[in-house]
Amino acid sequence: MQILPAIDLRGGKCVNLIQGIAEQETVFSHNPVDMAMRWESEGAEYLHLVDLDGAFKGESTNLKIVGEIVSKLTIPTQLGGGIRSMEQIKIVLDLGVDRAILGTAALKQPELVTKACSIYHERIAVGIDARDGMVATDGWLEVSEQSAIHFAKELSVVQTLVYTDIKSDGMLKGPNVDATAEIVDAASAHVIASGGVTSLSDLEALKDIGASGAIIGRALYTGDLLLSDAIKTAS
């Protein structure tokens, strides 16, 4: 299982939100590029980037910083947040981002996922963000009538899913292992778990259910988890 440190970008800073609530923001660094280089130096093999401004506004607004991060790293990155058209996908991938994550667009424009995967193949991932088992969109501000499990089953053209349980995100109380297991079982794609990972036992639980990766955000920044320990446990 792969460990992906998270860098959530908002207003050019590295931040973390509790349950995706904009008002519940903690700023962990004013220099996301330095933070990305730190995670690589500590052994990260893949980096998870989120453009929160893009998620809320529907267009990427931190691409300059993303480009700087990519240019400084030797490890691959994935980016989600506000990527909702073929043009935006191309811009992101042309920056050197290894994988573009479609979230809101994947639910509202399924044809976009099909087209993007036909062109970019494994470089397209879909993020399934769920609140009480239902898919949330538009920076988690809206909750659809689509169940996360049913949505996961529909995404047969996608090779990677990023599953986030919103109520767990940023809470430091552990991931929703049962819900993640249902997604792993339902999906044909590899599933990267996100939201609430706080301890080595959390990682062991996710590894046991077959998650291909785990995204860790707040716990790395608070020191609740050391990246080296997380990588060792997951391997």
Side-chain angles (χ1 to χ4, degrees):
M1 185 173 75
Q2 195 170 53
I3 300 299
L4 298 86
I7 294 182
D8 292 0
L9 300 165
R10 190 176 185 214
K13 300 183 289 289
C14 175
V15 307
N16 184 262
L17 308 184
I18 294 176
Q19 296 182 340
I21 301 170
E23 292 76 24
Q24 298 283 338
E25 178 186 274
T26 303
V27 177
F28 284 112
S29 174
H30 289 272
N31 195 324
V33 179
D34 284 352
M35 189 59 65
M37 295 174 67
R38 172 188 165 184
W39 295 139
E40 181 179 42
S41 71
E42 292 187 13
E45 296 178 343
Y46 214 112
L47 201 63
H48 176 72
L49 306 174
V50 181
D51 183 352
L52 291 172
D53 294 308
F56 291 133
K57 299 173 184 177
E59 59 183 41
S60 299
T61 58
N62 290 289
L63 289 183
K64 181 180 178 182
I65 293 173
V66 171
E68 291 175 8
I69 289 173
V70 170
S71 69
K72 295 287 186 179
L73 300 182
T74 60
I75 61 173
T77 60
Q78 61 182 24
L79 173 69
I83 305 172
R84 299 176 188 173
S85 68
M86 288 300 298
E87 180 184 9
Q88 289 171 323
I89 292 169
K90 186 178 188 303
I91 290 170
V92 166
L93 295 181
D94 283 351
L95 280 176
V97 171
D98 187 65
R99 206 155 49 202
I101 305 170
L102 305 179
T104 295
L107 183 67
K108 296 185 175 181
Q109 305 174 60
E111 69 282 355
L112 177 64
V113 177
T114 302
K115 183 176 181 180
C117 286
S118 71
I119 297 171
Y120 297 111
H121 310 291
E122 73 279 357
R123 297 187 72 189
I124 301 298
V126 167
I128 300 179
D129 306 322
R131 189 186 298 277
D132 297 322
M134 307 304 286
V135 179
T137 63
D138 300 282
W140 301 354
L141 299 175
E142 305 291 335
V143 178
S144 72
E145 296 182 358
Q146 173 77 285
S147 81
I149 294 173
H150 186 266
F151 189 38
K153 289 179 178 178
E154 289 185 337
L155 294 166
S156 59
V157 298
V158 181
Q159 297 184 32
T160 302
L161 297 179
V162 179
Y163 176 72
T164 305
D165 180 77
I166 294 171
K167 287 190 174 181
S168 302
D169 194 64
M171 296 297 290
L172 295 178
K173 294 182 178 179
N176 189 332
V177 176
D178 290 342
T180 306
E182 291 179 337
I183 298 297
V184 170
D185 291 342
S188 59
H190 297 294
V191 177
I192 299 172
S194 176
V197 175
T198 308
S199 67
L200 298 180
S201 61
D202 291 339
L203 294 173
E204 289 168 351
L206 292 173
K207 187 177 178 180
D208 286 345
I209 64 170
S212 67
I215 293 167
I216 311 177
R218 182 175 285 264
L220 290 179
Y221 293 96
T222 60
D224 285 86
L225 263 181
L226 294 179
L227 180 56
S228 57
D229 290 341
I231 293 170
K232 184 177 179 180
T233 298
S235 61

